[in-house]
Each structure stands twice: as C-alpha cells, then as structure tokens.
Amino acid sequence: MIPGVLTVAGSDSGGGAGIQADLKTMLALGVHGMSVVTAVTAQNSLGVQGAWELPVEAVRAQYRSVVDDIGVQAVKTGMLASAQLVETVAQLIAETDAPAVIDPVGVSKHGDALLAASALDSVRTKLLPVATVATPNLDEVAQITGVRVESEADMRRAAAAVLAYGPRWALVKGGHLPGDAVDLLTDGSEEYWLRAPRHDNRHTHGTGCTLASAIASQLAKGQSVPEAVAAAKEYVTGAVATGFALGGGIGPVDHGWRFRAGPER
C-alpha cells in the first residue's frame, strides 16, 4: 500500500508553497498526498496580495472526510490563519493515530503575515503539544518563544524553549543564519545537527513547506524522526540548489529535481 499523507494548509496560487508545494513533495517522495485547504491566497513571486480563511466547518469536514474513509499515515500542517482554525486542527490531530509534523507558519517568504497575532497562544498551548515534530524557522521561534537566535550557539536554547510547549521533537531551522545551512533536531535528550552547503540561489520560495512535507512523507514510510529529518534535509537541499526563476520576484524550489537529475538520484 502506498502511504497516505495529509496536508492541512493554505493554497498558494503561484504553486511554490502551501498545499501545492506539499503535494508536489509528497509525489516526489513516493507517498499519496491528500489535502485540507484552510485558506486561499492570491500569491505570486512578488508576495501575497490577499488571503481568505475557510470556515471551521469546511476545514473539519475535509479532514474527517479523508481520515474516516481513507486513513492517514502522517499529517502535516502549514498556514492555519486564526486561533479558531489552530484549535480545531489541533483537536483533529489529537484524535488521529498518526505522526504530525507542525510547521508553525507565521509569515510568508516575502514577509506577509499568514497567522493572526491572536492565534499565537493557541499555537503554543493547543497545536505544539500534539506535534511529533515542530519545525519553526528562527523568525517563528522568536514569535512563539521570544528567544532570538543570533548564532549557532543560541539554537540549543531556542530548541529547549520550543520543547517546553510539548512537541516530542523540535527542529530549529537555522537557514537564516550566515554560513552553512544548519538545523538542530532534538527531543531534549538526543541531539542531531544537520548541515548542508548554502547555495547561492535566491529562488527559495516554499522551503519550509517542502521540508515539513518531506519529513511527514518519510515518517509515513516508517522512518524514525531522526531518519526522516535527515532524508528530508537532503531532499530540500537539492530542491533549493535547483530553485528556478518564476515571475518577477522570488521563484520556487524545484520539487522535481530528482526526476531531472537522473535515475541514480
């Protein structure tokens, strides 16, 4: 059976992030992607021109429709927009027997807000406690915990602050720091530093969505959290290296880079 992964996130009309990036990643990694759309955005390479969240009833109905009939081997969340949606999705995940990768999306690549400030407390108290892995970037760490990471030395403290809210594992993404792209994965006892060369490519739209979806895909295939994160890091590094221009701004990472790299990849 092909494992099924459910993404609960917003739609990106430009196709570089959100639901679209999630489903492309899942296809590339050999799992069956399914979706719960939480919001619709008007979005392109230049930014987000508009966003409209869906009613709670629509989000709940989509989730139950998939889980109750098809079932899922992993769940991934992205843009949840409001406190009401955050709390609804957290409850649904708590009732689902599958690992959950929580990407606490706060702002877009272009700096557009994708989560209401009033929803932050719900993220801390409702959503993070149901996470198998939480995957905040440094801006999201600061937004959620107040810890500001200025160097690698601060990442351990940041991870501890995230873990204090209850996820089993925290993956603090250090891509905004200078030097190599370094991430820290920890459950408070085990610790893994994941490093990759930094590629000189501005076309990185969708990196966070892609990484979280890749982790969920690998978990659905039965890998442990450290194995899944390492494999996802390798995939997203290749996708960033081959990100391409699209429109007049920041283009997307290349979700299909392995198809174009030849069968050995």
Side-chain angles (χ1 to χ4, degrees):
M1 187 184 76
I2 298 175
V5 181
L6 180 62
T7 170
V8 185
S11 169
D12 173 2
S13 56
I19 289 277
Q20 288 81 354
D22 297 339
L23 294 176
K24 292 173 189 178
T25 299
M26 292 167 191
L27 177 64
L29 295 179
V31 301
H32 175 64
M34 300 168 286
S35 62
V36 172
V37 179
T38 60
V40 175
T41 71
Q43 188 171 168
N44 56 27
S45 70
L46 300 173
V48 179
Q49 290 79 45
W52 301 266
E53 66 183 81
L54 268 67
V56 164
E57 295 77 12
V59 171
R60 184 183 291 111
Q62 291 175 82
Y63 191 102
R64 291 262 59 96
S65 179
V66 171
V67 173
D68 293 347
D69 172 47
I70 302 170
V72 294
Q73 280 66 60
V75 179
K76 175 263 177 187
T77 71
M79 177 186 178
L80 298 181
S82 69
Q84 195 175 18
L85 283 180
V86 168
E87 292 175 12
T88 298
V89 171
Q91 181 180 7
L92 290 166
I93 290 174
E95 297 167 355
T96 305
D97 185 19
V101 180
I102 304 300
D103 185 14
V105 175
V107 296
S108 75
K109 178 69 69 179
H110 306 87
D112 303 290
L114 299 177
L115 180 72
S118 58
L120 280 173
D121 194 54
S122 296
V123 170
R124 297 180 188 108
T125 61
K126 304 293 185 184
L127 191 60
L128 290 180
V130 301
T132 305
V133 190
T135 65
N137 62 31
L138 300 187
D139 290 337
E140 291 156 355
V141 167
Q143 193 177 36
I144 292 165
T145 71
V147 174
R148 298 200 173 275
V149 176
E150 306 292 343
S151 68
E152 259 187 56
D154 298 325
M155 291 179 70
R156 225 179 242 117
R157 184 165 57 93
V162 174
L163 287 173
Y165 290 111
R168 284 176 48 202
W169 292 82
L171 177 66
V172 174
K173 300 178 296 189
H176 294 170
L177 294 175
D180 286 349
V182 58
D183 306 326
L184 171 60
L185 173 70
T186 180
D187 65 353
S189 55
E190 296 182 57
E191 184 177 278
Y192 302 88
W193 291 88
L194 298 100
R195 297 179 185 277
R198 182 176 300 279
H199 296 286
D200 184 20
N201 185 358
R202 68 189 292 259
H203 301 301
T204 57
H205 185 48
T207 307
C209 305
T210 299
L211 179 63
S213 294
I215 295 169
S217 298
Q218 302 296 1
L219 291 175
K221 292 190 284 188
Q223 292 188 352
S224 68
V225 170
E227 289 170 337
V229 171
K233 173 82 168 178
E234 179 188 5
Y235 170 74
V236 81
T237 299
V240 168
T242 53
F244 54 92
L246 194 72
I250 299 173
V253 301
D254 181 8
H255 299 96
W257 69 273
R258 280 180 170 162
F259 302 137
R260 285 180 274 280
E264 73 277 4
R265 299 301 297 170

